[in-house]
Every structure is written in C-alpha cells, then in structure tokens.
Amino acid sequence: MSTTKFGEYGGQYVPEVLMPAIEELTDAYERYVLDNEDGFMDEFRERLADFGGRPTPIQRADRLSERYDAEVYLKREDLLHGGAHKLNNALGQVLLARYMGKERIVAETGAGQHGTATAMAAAHLDMPCEIYMGKRDIRRQRPNVFRMRLNGAEVNPVTVGRGTLKEAINETMRDWATNVEDTHYVIGSIVGPHPFPRMVRDFHSVIGEEIRDGVQKKTGGLPDSLVACAGGGSNTMGTFHDLVPDEEVSLFAVEAGGDELVVDDEEGVAPHSASLSTGSEGVLHGARTKLLQDADGQIVESHSVSSGLDYAGVGPELSHLVDEGRVTPVNVDDTAALEAFHRLSRTEGIIPALESAHALAFLEDELGPDADGEHDLGEVIVVNVSGRGDKDLEAVIEETEKRDLDAAPSMEVMYE
Amino acid sequence: MSDDVRTAVSGDEPALIPYITAGDPSLAATAEYVEALAAGGADVIELGMPFSEPIADGPTIQDAIQRSLEAGTTPERYFELVESLDVDVPIVCMTYYNLLYQYGESGPDESDYERLRRFVARAAEAGVSGLIIPDLPVDESDPLRRACDEYGVDLIFIVAPTTTDERLAKMREQVSGFVYVQARLGTTGAQADVSDATHESLTRLAEWEVPKAVGFGVSEGQHATEIVEAGAAGVVAGSVFVDIIAGGDDVANRLEAKARELKQGALDGATTDTPKAGK
C-alpha cells in the first residue's frame, strides 16, 4: 500500500464507518491512477483535452514583465472549462467513481468553483450529484450556485457555524458516512484522509507538467520561480509537483493574510487564512496538517476576501514541503489582493479569481514600485492564474467600495 | 488496566450507557444531569468533550457541542467537572483526536505518545475510566493505546456496519472496556427503529470476549429491548438525552425518566432466553 503520510503529516483520521470506503478508494487510486488499469489515465487525459480544453496556455504578461523588470508568465488555468483549475480533479474523481461502480457523487464547495467543476463533470459523465455549500458562501457566490443548478446538481445549504468551507466539509463527511456504500465524496483540495491528498495532487499535476513544457519552449530552460495561491492547496501542488525535484526552481505558496496575521483566541476567530505561515500541527478533516487553532485545539474561523482561500487548514504535503524548506510560505492581505485583481484586469485584460489575485499581489509586494523585495524570484517567473474572476465580481464591487484602491476604476462612473 | 467500564457493562443486568455533552448548557447543569442519569439507572456515562468539528456526530449533538463551546467549556474545565462529580458510575470521555493531541504545552520534537500521554494522565487523574475517539481508527491508534495502557484507561472502539473482517481482526487486538457497535450507517441521531445491521454486527462479534454495547439511533425502551434480545450487553443512547437538554424544560427529571425507560427496556430484553454475547 502507498504510504499514507508526508513526513509527519497526512494519515487517515476518520470515523470507522468510512474506513472501508477509504481502503476501497486507496485500492482504486493505486490501480487506476498509478497503474493506469483499464486505461483509466488515458481516458482521463483524453476527456481533459476534449471536454476540458487542455492544455491551457502559458502566456507572457507583457505589462507585468515591464512593471517588474522580469519575464513574467501566466499559466492560464482560468481558460480551462468552467473557468478554474478545479475541473482537473473533479473530472478525475468523478471518472474514478464511475470506474469504481459508485452511483452518486457528493462534494463540498467554498468559493463554488469546485462545486461547479464537480457538477459539470457529473453532468458530463451522467452521475447524480449533490453539493454542500455554507450559507455565507452561497450569498457570496451566487453565480456559481446557479451554474451548479444549471448542470443538474442539488445544492444543499449548510447553516451551522459561520457557514463556510469547513462546515460544508463536515456536512459532506456526514452524508458520505450515511451513504458510503454507493456514494463517492469528491474532496475539492489536497486535504482529507489518504489517498485524497496524493490523488488530487496527481490529477492537478498536469498544470506543472504544462508549465515545464511551455517555459522550456519559450525560454529554453526552467522557470526561476513558481508562484501559486494556497487555500487548501490544490492549485499550489498542481503547479509545484512536477518541479519539486528541480531544486533550482523556487516555489512560493501565497496565503490569504486577510485583515491581519493574528488570532483572536477569545472569539476563536483568525482574520486571515494563513495556515502554512502561522498555523500549528493538528488533525482536521481526516489528516494531520498545519491548522489555525486555539490553545485547546479548537479550530478557529478563518477569513479571506476570497472565499476560495477561506479555510483553517491546508494540504499535508504542503505542510511537509514547508517544513523541509522546499516551499516558501508567504502571504498578502485582502487589500493587496484586490489591488492585484484590478491591476491584472486593466493591464493585461484578464480578470483573475480573487484567489489568483493573491499570487499576483505577491509579485507587487516583492517587485513593484514600493516593494521591499525580501525574496529572490529570479528572472523567469510563472504565476498560476488558477481561475477567472467572474464569480467574484459581487464581492469585488462590495470590497472595492470600502477601500481607496489605486488600481481600481471609479465605481461612481460605473453607476451613472 | 482498570476494569471499571468492562465490569459495569458486563454485569448481571444489561447496561445502559447514556451520552450527554459536558457544558451543555453549562458545566453546573451537567453535574446535575449526570446525577439524574445515574439515578435513572445508567451504568456508564459517556460524557462528550466538545470539539469544534464533530464529523462523526449528527445535528443534535453538533448543536449541543456548539452550545457547550459558547458556554466556555475547555478540556481543563471538563476535567474539573469530572473531578467534582459525586456518582458511582464510570465516566467515559467521548471526544475528537485534535483535543488530545493539543492538550497542555508541548515541547520541541515530542513524539505523539508523549503528547497524548499528557491528556490521558490528566483524564485518569480526574477520574475518567475510558476514551472514545470517533475520528481515530485502529490504524492510527498505537500511541494512544500505549498511553491508555499506562494509565489504566480503556480505549473503546466503534465497529461500523461497513467494517470488514480484516479490520475486525485488527480491532479485536486493540479493544478494551467494551465494543461500541454502531447500529447503522451515518452519524449519531435518534431514529424511529432499530436497524437490521445491529443483529448482523453482533453475530460477527459473537466470539469476542469483551462486552458489546449498541448505539446510534436508540431513543425508546423498545429499541433497548430489541438490542438486548439481539445479544448486546449494553445499550448506548445519546441524541434522545441531548434533545431533552435542548428542550430546557424540567430537564433533570425528564433525563432520569428517559434513562429509567431505556434501562427497563433493556431489562425486558434480558428476560428472554437469548444468550448474552460477551458476558
């Protein structure tokens, strides 16, 4: 059996009722994904190309390259079908569920991108699908809720707690525990019990493979730095995985610094989602990893302007790579992310997801006109634009109005 | 190894094992409720220590956990409550792994065993007889098993309807106190009937020497009767008691009456000729 851990992190901490399903899934992962039994991976890659639109381009960002005096390339996962990298994993898992003979799909979603991708994959592969989504996220991400419904998925609102991603994960685990015999839970990031962190990473590793090929063609070499935002960490590991062995490539995981990097122990709230930068080791949702928790081990509520990054944990493999010194965790705050959102929209004609805007804001922090330049990013930098920002427009309008942002257009003109 | 829990579950009479969440709605109220349950015939009391992400529990107990956390229950206050209890039944602590793992100040490079040992030592000192950790499957339980053995605290595992024979063999080596037989798929929560999975699970465990208690969905005396008739040594019920607490009306008396009903149901089940597995 493949190891369940990355160093100290990972494992399988779930109720006994789920263990047989996890063993069954581990077996299926090893046979179909790792050994390509029955041509599973061939079918997956073919569907990713034909249905998903892979490969996605590596685009040189001319204005950003000029601004930062470097060769800045954008990995355009926003151009994948559905508008985010999430389809890689959703399609992989729904297809795997079909190979395993499962009859029903459940999934959780935060920003709605994973739910949308799962609903699309399920419709594509003709599987019934139910999505759990926190009530607060439903409010923040209405267009995605509608897209899920359009693709035939049921959307179940989760009202406990603050109604965000972690509550939705709890609720989906409960559904899975009740219907485990015929249902597969499509976990949306590199989190959860083994084999999910490895399997989800493998489905997304096509991102890094395409970066390697694309940059090689354009520059004849490897990039100096890869930059990707990190909530749970699926686009991060998808971007990094293929290049982890190439030690000359620096890997930056950009977390949501939210309002500020503190935890209010009294209220049990963190006004950020930076588990890699500030979290401590613990066990959540089936895996040991770095978490935002109080001194007693209660999980605190996280925050980010981007609901896709708003999660109190992070993938165990990323925690391990950070401890090993291979991945550098950094973070930017909500305002910097919004600035970067507007900047890319105006200068390159690409409206990025608020998640991806965090990765772009890191470039500004490091290389922009007011930068302090703590890190050496080198000459050739690839930023993963993990998704497109259409889903975030309502949140961006609301948050932009609260702030005086240099890069933002005048909202008054837009209302006239 | 303490024999408290095992003795209490495998006595001459079938055992009643009620669950409530400590600190719901306050720790002072919990002390009163524990006494009421004991007066109603409880043989072991499962006392939940609230964790913010209770993935094995249904909405009823999740709400109780939320009320308890809002009332300021912490692991340390939980232990102080257990120390203050004046009842003659063993207390089993049901909680989630992260709270054990985080308990107390940890030093650099401490092993899991060293971290868990602090929690188990404090639990034993406070008078906790056993632990149920629903998100800790037997595969990851070695360090906690060692700590529990050292302090004479039982580590109780849950057998699910889906548990394979291979996994049962692994669990059989690890189990102590009693085996918690999960009567149905899913999470905790009161149900209208007793699942067929109960009979099947008890048959699969018939050879085990440790007593078996059945829970998940038990809410009426008749359920307890059926469970004991099926061969269980004990009956676990949680959400039905938590519902009474949530109702907030004449709680202690109603808890005692419900415990009495379930205990009587279990006793009725024992008057049939069915042999009691695991006694």
Side-chain angles (χ1 to χ4, degrees), chain A residues 4-5 8 10-20 23 160-162 166-167 169-171 173-174 177-181 280-286 288 291 293-301, chain B residues 50-59 62-63 66 69 73-75 97-99 101-103 112 115 134-140 158-164 166-167 170-171 182 184-187:
Chain A
T4 68
K5 299 214 162 136
E8 292 292 301
Q12 296 172 317
Y13 297 86
V14 292
E16 173 60 28
V17 68
L18 292 177
M19 280 306 295
E23 288 179 344
V160 293
R162 268 204 339 155
K166 79 179 171 68
E167 287 84 12
I169 293 178
N170 293 339
E171 209 54 41
M173 287 245 181
R174 293 190 181 109
T178 308
N179 303 293
V180 63
E181 289 170 319
S280 57
E281 196 178 332
V283 172
L284 176 65
H285 294 143
R288 173 182 304 209
L291 305 175
Q293 56 187 331
D294 70 13
D296 288 326
Q298 307 292 356
I299 308 306
V300 302
E301 297 289 350
Chain B
F51 175 54
S52 56
E53 317 302 320
I55 57 172
D57 286 300
Q62 177 165 29
D63 288 348
Q66 208 162 336
L69 288 172
T73 309
T74 63
Y97 192 66
N98 199 47
L99 295 193
Y101 192 71
Q102 302 303 334
Y103 187 75
D112 285 6
R115 293 182 74 135
D135 63 341
L136 184 69
V138 67
D139 319 63
E140 306 275 3
I158 299 174
V159 171
T162 49
T163 302
T164 57
E166 256 179 331
R167 297 190 57 75
K170 261 194 245 176
M171 290 165 90
Q182 179 176 335
R184 64 185 72 243
L185 293 179
T187 54

Side-chain angles (χ1 to χ4, degrees), chain B residues 184-232:
Chain B
R184 64 185 72 243
L185 293 179
T187 54
T188 56
Q191 299 281 336
D193 56 12
V194 173
S195 155
D196 289 344
T198 303
H199 303 262
E200 203 181 306
S201 298
L202 287 170
T203 306
R204 294 169 73 206
L205 301 174
E207 300 294 310
W208 291 27
E209 286 179 2
V210 64
K212 296 110 209 168
V214 174
F216 275 56
V218 178
S219 64
E220 291 171 20
Q222 180 58 32
H223 299 159
T225 304
E226 288 171 33
I227 284 167
V228 172
E229 279 176 353

Side-chain angles (χ1 to χ4, degrees), chain B residues 37-62:
Chain B
L37 292 169
D43 298 280
V44 173
I45 290 172
E46 237 187 76
L47 200 52
M49 176 187 279
F51 175 54
S52 56
E53 317 302 320
I55 57 172
D57 286 300
T60 304
I61 290 177
Q62 177 165 29

Side-chain angles (χ1 to χ4, degrees), chain B:
Chain B
M1 174 62 51
S2 150
D3 286 332
D4 293 358
V5 176
R6 187 189 172 114
T7 307
V9 180
S10 62
D12 293 337
E13 294 178 355
L16 173 64
I17 308 170
Y19 166 97
I20 58 173
T21 303
D24 169 29
S26 71
L27 289 164
T30 302
E32 188 194 351
Y33 299 163
V34 166
E35 283 173 26
L37 292 169
D43 298 280
V44 173
I45 290 172
E46 237 187 76
L47 200 52
M49 176 187 279
F51 175 54
S52 56
E53 317 302 320
I55 57 172
D57 286 300
T60 304
I61 290 177
Q62 177 165 29
D63 288 348
I65 285 170
Q66 208 162 336
R67 289 192 293 271
S68 172
L69 288 172
E70 279 162 17
T73 309
T74 63
E76 191 46 39
R77 286 181 193 145
Y78 175 99
F79 290 134
E80 287 164 11
L81 166 74
V82 174
E83 276 169 334
S84 75
L85 291 174
D86 185 23
V87 287
D88 198 22
V89 294
I91 300 292
V92 167
C93 170
M94 178 157 174
T95 192
Y96 288 81
Y97 192 66
N98 199 47
L99 295 193
L100 280 70
Y101 192 71
Q102 302 303 334
Y103 187 75
E105 291 286 316
S106 60
D109 300 326
E110 259 188 333
S111 68
D112 285 6
Y113 160 72
E114 287 166 309
R115 293 182 74 135
L116 297 165
R117 195 169 170 267
R118 264 195 304 276
F119 182 97
V120 178
R122 179 71 184 101
E125 179 194 48
V128 169
S129 299
L131 298 176
I132 301 175
I133 314 296
D135 63 341
L136 184 69
V138 67
D139 319 63
E140 306 275 3
S141 67
D142 280 343
L144 183 59
R145 165 92 273 163
R146 273 177 65 201
C148 282
D149 285 350
E150 188 179 343
Y151 287 94
V153 172
D154 286 315
L155 185 54
I156 294 151
F157 287 100
I158 299 174
V159 171
T162 49
T163 302
T164 57
D165 290 342
E166 256 179 331
R167 297 190 57 75
L168 277 186
K170 261 194 245 176
M171 290 165 90
R172 191 172 182 172
E173 290 169 20
Q174 294 274 351
V175 75
S176 62
F178 66 90
V179 185
Y180 188 149
V181 179
Q182 179 176 335
R184 64 185 72 243
L185 293 179
T187 54
T188 56
Q191 299 281 336
D193 56 12
V194 173
S195 155
D196 289 344
T198 303
H199 303 262
E200 203 181 306
S201 298
L202 287 170
T203 306
R204 294 169 73 206
L205 301 174
E207 300 294 310
W208 291 27
E209 286 179 2
V210 64
K212 296 110 209 168
V214 174
F216 275 56
V218 178
S219 64
E220 291 171 20
Q222 180 58 32
H223 299 159
T225 304
E226 288 171 33
I227 284 167
V228 172
E229 279 176 353
V235 175
V236 185
S239 297
V240 67
F241 293 107
V242 172
D243 273 336
I244 291 171
I245 293 170
D249 183 29
D250 194 20
V251 172
N253 285 331
R254 291 178 62 210
L255 288 175
E256 185 178 334
K258 182 49 90 171
R260 216 176 282 287
E261 174 197 329
L262 291 173
K263 178 74 180 184
Q264 187 56 50
L267 288 169
D268 292 347
T271 58
T272 63
D273 294 333
T274 317
K276 303 295 169 292
K279 290 282 204 113

Side-chain angles (χ1 to χ4, degrees), chain A residues 242-258:
Chain A
D242 193 61
L243 291 115
V244 166
D246 299 291
E247 303 249 344
E248 67 272 30
V249 181
S250 301
L251 308 174
F252 293 96
V254 187
E255 298 194 286

Side-chain angles (χ1 to χ4, degrees), chain A residues 44 77 85-90 188 190 199-208 234-235 237-239:
Chain A
F44 169 58
E77 288 299 289
H85 73 291
K86 294 285 184 185
L87 184 71
N88 301 322
N89 169 51
I190 53 161
M199 183 173 72
V200 176
R201 174 203 70 196
D202 290 350
F203 288 141
H204 282 305
S205 62
V206 62
I207 303 172
S234 69
N235 95 86
M237 275 316 303
T239 303

